[in-house]
Amino acid sequence: MIDLTVAQIADIVGGRLSGISDEAAAAIRVTGTVEFDSRAVTPGGLFLALPGARSDGHDFAAAAVGAGAVAVLAARPVGVPAIIVERNVERPTPHDPAAHDPAASVLEHDTDGSGAAVLTALARLAATVAAELVDGGLTIVGITGSSGKTSTKDLLAAVLAPLGEVVAPPGSFNNELGHPWTVLRATPSTDYLVLEMSARHPGNIAALASIAPPSIAVVLNVGTAHLGEFGSREAIAATKAELPQAVPSSGVVVLNVDDAAVAAMAEKTQARVVRVGRFPEAQQADVWAGPVTLDALARPRFTLHTADGQTDVALAVHGDHQVSNALCAAAVALECGASLKQVAAALAAAGPVSRHRMQVATRDDGVTVINDAYNANPDSMRAGLKALAAIAHGAPPAGKRRSWAVLGEMAELGDDAISEHDRVGRLAVRLDVSRLIVVGTGRSMSAMHHGAVMEGSWGSEATMVADADAALAVLRAELRAGDVVLVKASNAAGLGTLAETLVDEGGQG
Protein backbone atom coordinates (compact mmCIF):
# COMPACT_ATOMS: atom_id res chain seq x y z
CA MET A 1 0.00 0.00 0.00
CA ILE A 2 1.40 3.34 -1.03
CA ASP A 3 0.78 6.78 0.45
CA LEU A 4 1.10 9.36 -2.33
CA THR A 5 -1.17 12.03 -3.70
CA VAL A 6 -2.80 11.54 -7.06
CA ALA A 7 -0.74 14.48 -8.32
CA GLN A 8 2.50 12.87 -7.13
CA ILE A 9 1.65 9.61 -8.90
CA ALA A 10 0.82 11.48 -12.09
CA ASP A 11 4.21 13.17 -11.93
CA ILE A 12 6.04 9.88 -11.30
CA VAL A 13 4.41 8.07 -14.22
CA GLY A 14 4.39 11.03 -16.61
CA GLY A 15 0.60 11.10 -16.91
CA ARG A 16 -1.99 13.84 -17.18
CA LEU A 17 -5.02 14.32 -14.99
CA SER A 18 -8.56 13.65 -16.22
CA GLY A 19 -11.81 14.15 -14.35
CA ILE A 20 -10.06 15.71 -11.37
CA SER A 21 -8.71 19.22 -10.75
CA ASP A 22 -5.09 20.00 -9.99
CA GLU A 23 -6.08 21.14 -6.50
CA ALA A 24 -8.02 17.97 -5.73
CA ALA A 25 -5.24 15.77 -7.14
CA ALA A 26 -2.74 17.48 -4.85
CA ALA A 27 -4.96 16.87 -1.83
CA ILE A 28 -6.31 13.35 -2.43
CA ARG A 29 -3.97 10.57 -1.35
CA VAL A 30 -3.80 6.98 -2.52
CA THR A 31 -3.61 5.05 0.73
CA GLY A 32 -5.15 1.74 -0.33
CA THR A 33 -3.89 -1.03 -2.59
CA VAL A 34 -3.15 -0.91 -6.31
CA GLU A 35 -5.44 -3.38 -8.08
CA PHE A 36 -6.09 -4.63 -11.62
CA ASP A 37 -9.35 -6.35 -10.59
CA SER A 38 -12.15 -3.90 -9.78
CA ARG A 39 -13.62 -6.47 -7.37
CA ALA A 40 -10.46 -6.29 -5.24
CA VAL A 41 -10.37 -2.51 -4.89
CA THR A 42 -10.12 -1.17 -1.34
CA PRO A 43 -11.00 2.32 -0.05
CA GLY A 44 -8.32 4.80 -1.02
CA GLY A 45 -6.94 2.48 -3.72
CA LEU A 46 -5.67 2.96 -7.26
CA PHE A 47 -7.25 0.94 -10.07
CA LEU A 48 -5.27 -0.20 -13.14
CA ALA A 49 -7.31 -0.18 -16.36
CA LEU A 50 -5.84 -3.05 -18.36
CA PRO A 51 -7.07 -5.02 -21.39
CA GLY A 52 -7.70 -8.73 -20.98
CA ALA A 53 -8.96 -11.81 -22.78
CA ARG A 54 -12.62 -11.21 -21.92
CA SER A 55 -12.90 -7.53 -21.05
CA ASP A 56 -11.15 -4.16 -20.88
CA GLY A 57 -10.44 -2.69 -17.48
CA HIS A 58 -11.34 0.77 -18.77
CA ASP A 59 -14.95 -0.40 -18.81
CA PHE A 60 -14.81 -1.09 -15.06
CA ALA A 61 -13.25 2.21 -13.99
CA ALA A 62 -16.51 3.63 -12.66
CA ALA A 63 -17.19 0.46 -10.69
CA ALA A 64 -13.71 0.63 -9.18
CA VAL A 65 -14.23 4.22 -8.07
CA GLY A 66 -17.61 3.23 -6.68
CA ALA A 67 -15.85 0.54 -4.65
CA GLY A 68 -13.49 3.08 -3.12
CA ALA A 69 -10.68 3.77 -5.59
CA VAL A 70 -9.69 7.45 -5.55
CA ALA A 71 -8.26 7.34 -9.07
CA VAL A 72 -7.69 5.14 -12.11
CA LEU A 73 -4.44 4.65 -14.03
CA ALA A 74 -5.62 4.45 -17.63
CA ALA A 75 -4.72 5.00 -21.27
CA ARG A 76 -7.84 7.07 -22.07
CA PRO A 77 -10.41 9.16 -20.18
CA VAL A 78 -12.87 6.96 -18.29
CA GLY A 79 -15.37 9.46 -16.87
CA VAL A 80 -13.98 9.31 -13.33
CA PRO A 81 -10.81 10.74 -11.71
CA ALA A 82 -7.91 9.28 -13.65
CA ILE A 83 -4.24 9.56 -14.53
CA ILE A 84 -3.92 9.16 -18.30
CA VAL A 85 -0.70 7.80 -19.78
CA GLU A 86 0.17 7.98 -23.46
CA ARG A 87 -0.06 4.86 -25.59
CA ASN A 88 2.96 5.59 -27.78
CA VAL A 89 5.29 3.42 -25.74
CA GLU A 90 7.24 0.40 -26.91
CA ARG A 91 5.21 -2.73 -26.32
CA PRO A 92 7.27 -5.41 -24.50
CA THR A 93 6.88 -9.05 -25.39
CA PRO A 94 4.71 -10.85 -22.80
CA HIS A 95 6.46 -13.30 -20.51
CA ASP A 96 3.99 -16.12 -20.54
CA PRO A 97 0.45 -15.90 -21.88
CA ALA A 98 -0.05 -19.52 -20.81
CA ALA A 99 -1.08 -18.20 -17.35
CA HIS A 100 1.83 -17.64 -14.97
CA ASP A 101 -0.06 -14.62 -13.67
CA PRO A 102 -3.82 -13.94 -13.39
CA ALA A 103 -3.43 -11.11 -15.89
CA ALA A 104 -0.60 -12.48 -17.99
CA SER A 105 -2.74 -12.13 -21.09
CA VAL A 106 -2.70 -8.31 -20.88
CA LEU A 107 -0.05 -7.83 -23.53
CA GLU A 108 -1.33 -10.70 -25.63
CA HIS A 109 -4.66 -8.86 -25.97
CA ASP A 110 -3.19 -5.36 -26.08
CA THR A 111 -4.32 -4.34 -29.54
CA ASP A 112 -3.79 -0.59 -29.19
CA GLY A 113 -0.85 -0.23 -26.80
CA SER A 114 -3.00 0.77 -23.83
CA GLY A 115 -1.94 -2.21 -21.74
CA ALA A 116 1.75 -1.58 -22.39
CA ALA A 117 1.31 2.08 -21.47
CA VAL A 118 -0.34 1.29 -18.13
CA LEU A 119 2.23 -1.45 -17.34
CA THR A 120 5.08 0.95 -18.11
CA ALA A 121 3.53 3.52 -15.77
CA LEU A 122 3.04 0.83 -13.11
CA ALA A 123 6.72 -0.12 -13.35
CA ARG A 124 7.77 3.51 -12.87
CA LEU A 125 5.55 3.85 -9.83
CA ALA A 126 6.83 0.59 -8.32
CA ALA A 127 10.46 1.58 -8.97
CA THR A 128 9.99 4.91 -7.18
CA VAL A 129 8.32 3.30 -4.19
CA ALA A 130 10.91 0.51 -4.01
CA ALA A 131 13.79 2.99 -4.00
CA GLU A 132 12.25 4.93 -1.11
CA LEU A 133 11.62 1.74 0.88
CA VAL A 134 15.18 0.50 0.34
CA ASP A 135 16.47 3.81 1.64
CA GLY A 136 14.33 3.13 4.71
CA GLY A 137 15.90 -0.30 5.29
CA LEU A 138 13.93 -2.73 3.09
CA THR A 139 15.80 -5.85 1.93
CA ILE A 140 14.77 -7.11 -1.51
CA VAL A 141 15.31 -10.77 -2.38
CA GLY A 142 14.93 -11.93 -5.99
CA ILE A 143 14.46 -15.55 -7.08
CA THR A 144 14.72 -17.10 -10.53
CA GLY A 145 15.13 -20.55 -12.05
CA SER A 146 13.50 -22.77 -14.63
CA SER A 147 11.52 -24.59 -11.97
CA GLY A 148 10.88 -24.34 -8.25
CA LYS A 149 10.61 -20.54 -8.02
CA THR A 150 7.19 -20.47 -6.39
CA SER A 151 7.96 -23.27 -3.93
CA THR A 152 11.21 -21.58 -2.94
CA LYS A 153 9.46 -18.22 -2.61
CA ASP A 154 7.00 -19.79 -0.18
CA LEU A 155 9.80 -21.42 1.83
CA LEU A 156 11.77 -18.19 1.87
CA ALA A 157 8.80 -16.20 3.15
CA ALA A 158 8.47 -18.74 5.96
CA VAL A 159 12.12 -18.68 7.06
CA LEU A 160 12.29 -14.87 6.97
CA ALA A 161 9.05 -14.39 8.95
CA PRO A 162 10.75 -14.80 12.37
CA LEU A 163 13.11 -11.96 11.43
CA GLY A 164 10.54 -9.33 10.49
CA GLU A 165 7.61 -8.41 8.28
CA VAL A 166 7.69 -10.17 4.90
CA VAL A 167 5.86 -9.37 1.67
CA ALA A 168 5.87 -12.09 -1.01
CA PRO A 169 3.71 -12.60 -4.10
CA PRO A 170 0.70 -14.89 -3.99
CA GLY A 171 1.03 -17.81 -6.40
CA SER A 172 3.32 -17.02 -9.30
CA PHE A 173 3.05 -13.25 -9.66
CA ASN A 174 6.34 -12.99 -11.51
CA ASN A 175 5.95 -10.95 -14.70
CA GLU A 176 5.40 -7.37 -15.91
CA LEU A 177 2.19 -7.10 -13.93
CA GLY A 178 2.56 -9.39 -10.93
CA HIS A 179 6.09 -8.19 -10.14
CA PRO A 180 5.39 -4.44 -9.69
CA TRP A 181 1.99 -5.26 -8.16
CA THR A 182 3.84 -7.19 -5.44
CA VAL A 183 6.40 -4.40 -4.96
CA LEU A 184 3.55 -2.00 -4.24
CA ARG A 185 2.33 -4.31 -1.44
CA ALA A 186 5.38 -3.36 0.61
CA THR A 187 5.14 -0.54 3.18
CA PRO A 188 7.62 1.31 5.41
CA SER A 189 7.08 -1.43 8.02
CA THR A 190 8.11 -4.19 5.59
CA ASP A 191 11.52 -5.69 6.35
CA TYR A 192 11.81 -8.20 3.49
CA LEU A 193 10.32 -8.11 0.00
CA VAL A 194 10.58 -11.48 -1.76
CA LEU A 195 10.15 -11.34 -5.54
CA GLU A 196 9.86 -14.18 -8.03
CA MET A 197 11.16 -13.41 -11.54
CA SER A 198 10.19 -15.27 -14.70
CA ALA A 199 11.46 -14.91 -18.24
CA ARG A 200 10.29 -15.80 -21.70
CA HIS A 201 12.87 -13.77 -23.62
CA PRO A 202 16.34 -12.35 -22.98
CA GLY A 203 16.11 -9.11 -21.05
CA ASN A 204 12.92 -10.00 -19.14
CA ILE A 205 14.69 -10.61 -15.82
CA ALA A 206 16.94 -7.57 -16.19
CA ALA A 207 13.83 -5.43 -16.73
CA LEU A 208 12.14 -6.79 -13.61
CA ALA A 209 15.30 -6.40 -11.54
CA SER A 210 15.54 -2.75 -12.58
CA ILE A 211 12.13 -2.08 -10.98
CA ALA A 212 13.18 -3.36 -7.56
CA PRO A 213 16.94 -4.06 -7.55
CA PRO A 214 17.63 -6.98 -5.21
CA SER A 215 20.39 -6.97 -2.62
CA ILE A 216 20.09 -10.77 -2.41
CA ALA A 217 19.51 -13.00 -5.44
CA VAL A 218 18.81 -16.73 -5.70
CA VAL A 219 19.30 -18.84 -8.83
CA LEU A 220 17.83 -22.33 -8.52
CA ASN A 221 18.47 -24.10 -11.82
CA VAL A 222 18.66 -23.84 -15.58
CA GLY A 223 16.29 -26.26 -17.24
CA THR A 224 14.31 -26.47 -20.45
CA ALA A 225 11.17 -24.50 -19.58
CA HIS A 226 10.34 -22.19 -22.54
CA LEU A 227 12.98 -23.92 -24.64
CA GLY A 228 10.87 -23.23 -27.71
CA GLU A 229 11.16 -19.50 -27.03
CA PHE A 230 14.84 -19.36 -26.10
CA GLY A 231 16.18 -21.88 -28.58
CA SER A 232 18.87 -23.39 -26.35
CA ARG A 233 19.69 -24.10 -22.72
CA GLU A 234 22.66 -21.74 -23.07
CA ALA A 235 20.29 -18.89 -23.93
CA ILE A 236 18.15 -19.76 -20.91
CA ALA A 237 21.26 -19.69 -18.68
CA ALA A 238 22.29 -16.29 -20.03
CA THR A 239 18.84 -14.90 -19.24
CA LYS A 240 18.78 -16.36 -15.71
CA ALA A 241 22.22 -14.81 -15.17
CA GLU A 242 20.64 -11.38 -15.57
CA LEU A 243 19.54 -11.64 -11.92
CA PRO A 244 22.97 -12.13 -10.29
CA GLN A 245 24.34 -9.49 -12.64
CA ALA A 246 21.84 -7.02 -11.19
CA VAL A 247 23.08 -7.43 -7.61
CA PRO A 248 25.58 -4.79 -6.42
CA SER A 249 28.98 -5.63 -4.96
CA SER A 250 27.57 -5.08 -1.48
CA GLY A 251 24.95 -7.79 -2.05
CA VAL A 252 24.80 -11.59 -1.95
CA VAL A 253 24.07 -14.13 -4.68
CA VAL A 254 22.95 -17.63 -3.64
CA LEU A 255 23.70 -20.24 -6.30
CA ASN A 256 22.60 -23.87 -6.43
CA VAL A 257 25.92 -25.35 -7.52
CA ASP A 258 24.45 -28.80 -8.09
CA ASP A 259 23.52 -27.27 -11.46
CA ALA A 260 26.71 -26.58 -13.41
CA ALA A 261 25.10 -23.80 -15.42
CA VAL A 262 24.12 -22.04 -12.20
CA ALA A 263 27.53 -22.61 -10.61
CA ALA A 264 29.13 -20.84 -13.58
CA MET A 265 27.20 -17.67 -12.75
CA ALA A 266 29.66 -17.01 -9.90
CA GLU A 267 31.89 -15.50 -12.59
CA LYS A 268 29.13 -13.16 -13.77
CA THR A 269 28.38 -11.24 -10.60
CA GLN A 270 30.24 -8.64 -8.59
CA ALA A 271 28.40 -9.67 -5.42
CA ARG A 272 29.57 -12.11 -2.78
CA VAL A 273 28.57 -15.67 -3.73
CA VAL A 274 27.07 -18.24 -1.34
CA ARG A 275 27.05 -21.73 -2.81
CA VAL A 276 24.48 -24.33 -1.79
CA GLY A 277 24.29 -27.96 -2.82
CA ARG A 278 24.00 -31.60 -2.01
CA PHE A 279 27.53 -32.56 -3.05
CA PRO A 280 29.85 -30.31 -1.01
CA GLU A 281 33.00 -32.30 -1.69
CA ALA A 282 32.76 -31.71 -5.44
CA GLN A 283 31.17 -28.28 -5.46
CA GLN A 284 32.67 -26.59 -2.36
CA ALA A 285 29.24 -25.59 -1.08
CA ASP A 286 28.89 -23.15 1.81
CA VAL A 287 25.48 -24.52 2.80
CA TRP A 288 24.76 -28.16 2.10
CA ALA A 289 22.53 -31.10 2.92
CA GLY A 290 23.69 -34.35 4.43
CA PRO A 291 22.18 -37.68 3.34
CA VAL A 292 18.54 -37.20 2.39
CA THR A 293 15.76 -39.61 3.34
CA LEU A 294 12.05 -39.44 2.51
CA ASP A 295 9.13 -40.34 4.75
CA ALA A 296 5.99 -42.16 3.60
CA LEU A 297 4.68 -38.99 1.89
CA ALA A 298 8.02 -38.13 0.27
CA ARG A 299 8.83 -35.35 2.75
CA PRO A 300 12.62 -34.96 2.92
CA ARG A 301 14.72 -35.30 6.06
CA PHE A 302 18.38 -34.23 6.11
CA THR A 303 21.10 -32.51 8.09
CA LEU A 304 21.69 -28.88 7.17
CA HIS A 305 25.42 -28.05 7.29
CA THR A 306 27.16 -24.68 7.35
CA ALA A 307 30.63 -23.51 8.34
CA ASP A 308 29.15 -22.45 11.69
CA GLY A 309 27.34 -25.64 12.58
CA GLN A 310 24.63 -28.07 11.59
CA THR A 311 21.03 -28.94 12.42
CA ASP A 312 18.53 -31.61 11.49
CA VAL A 313 15.74 -30.51 9.14
CA ALA A 314 12.40 -32.19 8.49
CA LEU A 315 10.56 -30.52 5.61
CA ALA A 316 6.78 -30.29 5.47
CA VAL A 317 6.76 -30.09 1.67
CA HIS A 318 6.85 -33.10 -0.63
CA GLY A 319 9.48 -34.38 -3.05
CA ASP A 320 13.22 -34.89 -3.06
CA HIS A 321 13.58 -31.85 -5.34
CA GLN A 322 12.46 -29.62 -2.45
CA VAL A 323 15.83 -30.11 -0.76
CA SER A 324 17.58 -27.69 -3.12
CA ASN A 325 14.75 -25.18 -2.70
CA ALA A 326 15.04 -25.43 1.09
CA LEU A 327 18.82 -25.02 1.00
CA CYS A 328 18.50 -21.81 -0.99
CA ALA A 329 15.87 -20.46 1.39
CA ALA A 330 18.01 -21.40 4.38
CA ALA A 331 21.08 -19.70 2.91
CA VAL A 332 19.17 -16.43 2.46
CA ALA A 333 17.75 -16.55 5.98
CA LEU A 334 21.19 -17.21 7.46
CA GLU A 335 22.58 -14.24 5.55
CA CYS A 336 19.78 -12.12 7.02
CA GLY A 337 20.70 -13.12 10.58
CA ALA A 338 18.59 -16.18 11.30
CA SER A 339 20.00 -18.92 13.49
CA LEU A 340 20.20 -22.53 12.39
CA LYS A 341 17.55 -23.36 15.00
CA GLN A 342 15.20 -20.72 13.59
CA VAL A 343 15.71 -21.97 10.04
CA ALA A 344 15.03 -25.61 10.97
CA ALA A 345 11.88 -24.70 12.90
CA ALA A 346 10.54 -22.50 10.10
CA LEU A 347 11.18 -25.11 7.41
CA ALA A 348 9.47 -27.78 9.51
CA ALA A 349 6.35 -25.63 9.70
CA ALA A 350 6.34 -24.47 6.07
CA GLY A 351 3.86 -26.69 4.26
CA PRO A 352 2.61 -26.14 0.70
CA VAL A 353 1.15 -22.65 0.31
CA SER A 354 0.53 -21.92 -3.37
CA ARG A 355 -2.35 -23.80 -5.00
CA HIS A 356 -1.76 -26.75 -7.32
CA ARG A 357 1.95 -27.06 -6.47
CA MET A 358 2.83 -30.38 -4.82
CA GLN A 359 -0.30 -30.26 -2.67
CA VAL A 360 -0.70 -33.70 -1.12
CA ALA A 361 -4.01 -34.81 0.38
CA THR A 362 -5.14 -38.25 1.57
CA ARG A 363 -8.83 -39.12 1.27
CA ASP A 364 -10.88 -41.04 3.78
CA ASP A 365 -10.43 -44.19 1.67
CA GLY A 366 -6.63 -43.86 1.78
CA VAL A 367 -6.23 -42.55 -1.78
CA THR A 368 -3.43 -39.97 -1.84
CA VAL A 369 -3.73 -37.19 -4.44
CA ILE A 370 -0.70 -35.11 -5.47
CA ASN A 371 -1.96 -31.92 -7.10
CA ASP A 372 0.96 -30.43 -9.01
CA ALA A 373 -1.08 -29.15 -11.94
CA TYR A 374 -0.13 -25.48 -12.01
CA ASN A 375 2.89 -25.81 -14.27
CA ALA A 376 4.96 -28.43 -16.04
CA ASN A 377 8.27 -28.61 -17.84
CA PRO A 378 10.58 -31.59 -18.32
CA ASP A 379 12.46 -30.97 -15.06
CA SER A 380 9.40 -30.49 -12.86
CA MET A 381 7.64 -33.42 -14.55
CA ARG A 382 10.55 -35.70 -13.66
CA ALA A 383 10.49 -34.39 -10.08
CA GLY A 384 6.75 -35.00 -9.80
CA LEU A 385 7.00 -38.56 -11.11
CA LYS A 386 9.84 -39.34 -8.71
CA ALA A 387 7.76 -38.02 -5.82
CA LEU A 388 4.87 -40.23 -6.94
CA ALA A 389 7.13 -43.26 -7.03
CA ALA A 390 8.60 -42.44 -3.62
CA ILE A 391 5.16 -42.26 -2.01
CA ALA A 392 3.79 -45.33 -3.78
CA HIS A 393 6.84 -47.50 -3.20
CA GLY A 394 7.82 -45.86 0.08
CA ALA A 395 8.32 -46.50 3.69
CA PRO A 396 6.32 -48.88 5.87
CA PRO A 397 3.66 -49.18 7.10
CA ALA A 398 2.27 -48.17 3.72
CA GLY A 399 4.18 -50.71 1.67
CA LYS A 400 3.87 -50.68 -2.12
CA ARG A 401 0.73 -48.96 -3.40
CA ARG A 402 -0.76 -48.64 -6.89
CA SER A 403 0.34 -45.43 -8.54
CA TRP A 404 -1.40 -43.28 -11.18
CA ALA A 405 0.18 -40.52 -13.25
CA VAL A 406 -2.42 -38.24 -14.86
CA LEU A 407 -0.32 -36.08 -17.15
CA GLY A 408 -1.13 -33.24 -19.53
CA GLU A 409 0.91 -31.26 -22.00
CA MET A 410 4.14 -29.41 -21.21
CA ALA A 411 3.80 -26.12 -23.07
CA GLU A 412 6.36 -24.05 -25.01
CA LEU A 413 9.01 -26.68 -25.73
CA GLY A 414 9.28 -25.85 -29.42
CA ASP A 415 11.05 -28.40 -31.59
CA ASP A 416 11.83 -30.54 -28.51
CA ALA A 417 8.18 -31.05 -27.57
CA ILE A 418 7.85 -34.49 -29.16
CA SER A 419 11.08 -35.91 -27.76
CA GLU A 420 10.53 -34.47 -24.27
CA HIS A 421 7.00 -35.85 -24.01
CA ASP A 422 8.29 -39.22 -25.23
CA ARG A 423 10.90 -39.18 -22.45
CA VAL A 424 8.27 -38.48 -19.81
CA GLY A 425 6.19 -41.44 -20.96
CA ARG A 426 9.23 -43.70 -20.81
CA LEU A 427 10.22 -42.39 -17.37
CA ALA A 428 6.80 -43.23 -15.97
CA VAL A 429 7.35 -46.84 -16.96
CA ARG A 430 10.92 -46.94 -15.63
CA LEU A 431 9.68 -45.65 -12.28
CA ASP A 432 7.16 -48.51 -12.20
CA VAL A 433 4.11 -46.25 -12.26
CA SER A 434 1.11 -48.61 -12.31
CA ARG A 435 -1.18 -46.57 -14.56
CA LEU A 436 -0.50 -43.64 -16.90
CA ILE A 437 -3.38 -41.48 -18.17
CA VAL A 438 -2.24 -39.18 -20.96
CA VAL A 439 -4.67 -36.25 -21.20
CA GLY A 440 -4.93 -34.60 -24.62
CA THR A 441 -4.95 -35.56 -28.27
CA GLY A 442 -2.15 -33.56 -29.89
CA ARG A 443 1.16 -34.82 -31.25
CA SER A 444 2.98 -34.21 -27.98
CA MET A 445 0.53 -36.29 -25.99
CA SER A 446 0.62 -39.04 -28.60
CA ALA A 447 4.39 -39.03 -28.16
CA MET A 448 4.06 -39.41 -24.39
CA HIS A 449 1.69 -42.35 -24.79
CA HIS A 450 3.85 -43.91 -27.50
CA GLY A 451 6.96 -43.54 -25.32
CA ALA A 452 5.29 -45.42 -22.49
CA VAL A 453 4.12 -48.19 -24.80
CA MET A 454 7.55 -48.58 -26.37
CA GLU A 455 9.13 -48.72 -22.91
CA GLY A 456 6.89 -51.65 -21.99
CA SER A 457 3.56 -50.30 -20.78
CA TRP A 458 1.12 -52.78 -22.29
CA GLY A 459 -2.62 -53.23 -22.24
CA SER A 460 -4.46 -50.68 -20.11
CA GLU A 461 -1.37 -49.57 -18.16
CA ALA A 462 -1.07 -46.53 -20.45
CA THR A 463 -4.29 -44.85 -21.56
CA MET A 464 -4.80 -41.79 -23.74
CA VAL A 465 -7.96 -39.71 -23.22
CA ALA A 466 -9.27 -36.55 -24.82
CA ASP A 467 -9.69 -34.28 -21.82
CA ALA A 468 -9.87 -33.89 -18.05
CA ASP A 469 -13.48 -35.11 -17.88
CA ALA A 470 -12.54 -38.35 -19.61
CA ALA A 471 -9.58 -38.81 -17.27
CA LEU A 472 -11.81 -38.25 -14.25
CA ALA A 473 -14.24 -40.87 -15.55
CA VAL A 474 -11.44 -43.46 -15.71
CA LEU A 475 -10.30 -42.61 -12.19
CA ARG A 476 -13.81 -42.79 -10.77
CA ALA A 477 -14.28 -46.21 -12.31
CA GLU A 478 -10.93 -47.77 -11.45
CA LEU A 479 -9.36 -46.12 -8.38
CA ARG A 480 -8.96 -48.42 -5.40
CA ALA A 481 -8.49 -47.60 -1.74
CA GLY A 482 -4.87 -46.74 -0.98
CA ASP A 483 -3.87 -45.73 -4.53
CA VAL A 484 -1.61 -42.72 -5.13
CA VAL A 485 -2.45 -40.25 -7.93
CA LEU A 486 -0.19 -37.56 -9.41
CA VAL A 487 -1.97 -34.89 -11.48
CA LYS A 488 0.46 -32.71 -13.43
CA ALA A 489 0.46 -30.52 -16.54
CA SER A 490 0.93 -26.97 -17.68
CA ASN A 491 -1.77 -24.74 -16.24
CA ALA A 492 -3.58 -24.33 -19.56
CA ALA A 493 -4.54 -28.02 -19.44
CA GLY A 494 -6.87 -27.31 -16.52
CA LEU A 495 -6.05 -30.46 -14.56
CA GLY A 496 -5.93 -28.68 -11.20
CA THR A 497 -9.72 -28.84 -10.97
CA LEU A 498 -9.61 -32.57 -11.69
CA ALA A 499 -7.29 -33.09 -8.72
CA GLU A 500 -9.49 -30.97 -6.45
CA THR A 501 -12.54 -32.96 -7.52
CA LEU A 502 -10.78 -36.22 -6.70
CA VAL A 503 -10.05 -35.00 -3.19
CA ASP A 504 -13.51 -33.55 -2.62
CA GLU A 505 -15.32 -36.70 -3.80
CA GLY A 506 -13.35 -38.96 -1.50
CA GLY A 507 -13.39 -36.81 1.61
CA GLN A 508 -10.14 -35.67 3.18
CA GLY A 509 -8.99 -37.43 6.29
Side-chain angles (χ1 to χ4, degrees):
M1 291 181 286
I2 59 179
D3 187 4
L4 295 167
T5 67
V6 174
Q8 286 173 321
I9 294 174
D11 184 60
I12 290 168
V13 305
R16 61 181 175 85
L17 299 173
S18 172
I20 184 173
S21 68
D22 291 345
E23 294 76 12
I28 296 174
R29 306 189 74 84
V30 174
T31 57
T33 57
V34 177
E35 302 292 354
F36 52 83
D37 185 340
S38 61
R39 296 166 297 181
V41 167
T42 58
L46 178 69
F47 177 61
L48 307 176
L50 291 166
R54 298 182 180 87
S55 60
D56 187 337
H58 290 80
D59 299 332
F60 295 88
V65 171
V70 296
V72 177
L73 187 58
R76 63 176 184 268
V78 287
V80 292
I83 300 167
I84 309 300
V85 290
E86 298 298 327
R87 284 180 284 185
N88 59 342
V89 297
E90 181 180 353
R91 296 173 62 194
T93 303
H95 282 204
D96 190 353
H100 278 273
D101 187 291
S105 62
V106 167
L107 294 176
E108 185 184 20
H109 298 90
D110 185 16
T111 58
D112 61 359
S114 62
V118 174
L119 288 178
T120 299
L122 177 66
R124 290 173 181 166
L125 178 59
T128 299
V129 171
E132 292 180 356
L133 293 176
V134 168
D135 287 342
L138 176 70
T139 297
I140 298 177
V141 183
I143 305 170
T144 195
S146 294
S147 60
K149 295 184 294 296
T150 300
S151 296
T152 304
K153 174 263 299 180
D154 292 338
L155 291 173
L156 189 48
V159 297
L160 289 177
L163 307 181
E165 181 181 306
V166 182
V167 168
S172 294
F173 273 41
N174 56 24
N175 64 14
E176 309 79 346
L177 175 57
H179 180 83
W181 181 92
T182 303
V183 171
L184 293 172
R185 254 40 190 182
T187 71
S189 66
T190 304
D191 297 291
Y192 301 98
L193 173 60
V194 180
L195 297 170
E196 181 182 334
M197 302 184 188
S198 72
R200 197 167 179 239
H201 296 279
N204 284 159
I205 291 176
L208 296 179
S210 69
I211 295 172
S215 59
I216 303 177
V218 177
V219 185
L220 299 170
N221 46 56
V222 175
T224 51
H226 308 306
L227 187 60
E229 299 291 342
F230 284 97
S232 69
R233 191 167 182 264
E234 290 73 23
I236 295 173
T239 302
K240 300 301 181 188
E242 293 170 8
L243 180 56
Q245 288 169 343
V247 180
S249 58
S250 58
V252 177
V253 171
V254 176
L255 299 178
N256 173 22
V257 294
D258 291 337
D259 186 317
V262 175
M265 293 180 194
E267 304 300 321
K268 297 184 178 182
T269 181
Q270 57 185 329
R272 179 167 58 87
V273 174
V274 174
R275 296 169 172 83
V276 307
R278 296 174 61 164
F279 307 102
E281 298 82 4
Q283 305 292 352
Q284 299 180 331
D286 302 297
V287 177
W288 69 96
V292 177
T293 60
L294 302 177
D295 71 5
L297 290 177
R299 290 172 294 206
R301 306 289 187 264
F302 60 90
T303 300
L304 174 66
H305 297 268
T306 74
D308 298 322
Q310 64 186 54
T311 187
D312 291 334
V313 173
L315 297 182
V317 290
H318 308 266
D320 181 80
H321 61 287
Q322 299 281 12
V323 174
S324 295
N325 299 339
L327 287 174
C328 289
V332 172
L334 293 170
E335 287 294 322
C336 291
S339 67
L340 281 169
K341 183 178 180 180
Q342 284 177 310
V343 169
L347 288 174
V353 174
S354 298
R355 292 180 67 227
H356 300 175
R357 295 169 186 82
M358 291 305 292
Q359 289 182 297
V360 177
T362 299
R363 309 190 323 180
D364 292 340
D365 61 0
V367 170
T368 297
V369 180
I370 308 168
N371 185 347
D372 198 29
Y374 184 81
N375 193 23
N377 57 58
D379 300 305
S380 67
M381 192 70 87
R382 284 189 284 271
L385 285 169
K386 289 177 181 178
L388 169 66
I391 294 174
H393 305 158
K400 186 170 181 179
R401 305 160 66 184
R402 282 206 318 170
S403 55
W404 295 72
V406 184
L407 306 181
E409 186 175 14
M410 300 179 289
E412 300 183 340
L413 293 178
D415 294 339
D416 292 301
I418 301 301
S419 59
E420 290 292 355
H421 283 82
D422 175 89
R423 290 189 183 100
V424 167
R426 294 175 184 272
L427 179 62
V429 177
R430 292 170 188 164
L431 291 174
D432 198 22
V433 173
S434 308
R435 295 289 303 275
L436 170 64
I437 301 180
V438 177
V439 184
T441 57
R443 292 182 61 209
S444 294
M445 305 318 296
S446 294
M448 183 185 291
H449 181 257
H450 182 263
V453 172
M454 294 303 293
E455 195 66 26
S457 184
W458 304 102
S460 61
E461 291 177 356
T463 303
M464 189 171 178
V465 298
D467 53 31
D469 289 341
L472 184 59
V474 173
L475 291 165
R476 284 169 171 163
E478 301 185 33
L479 267 183
R480 296 202 302 251
D483 287 357
V484 187
V485 185
L486 168 69
V487 182
K488 186 162 182 62
S490 289
N491 193 42
L495 296 190
T497 301
L498 180 155
E500 291 176 340
T501 301
L502 275 183
V503 173
D504 292 342
E505 289 184 348
Q508 187 173 342

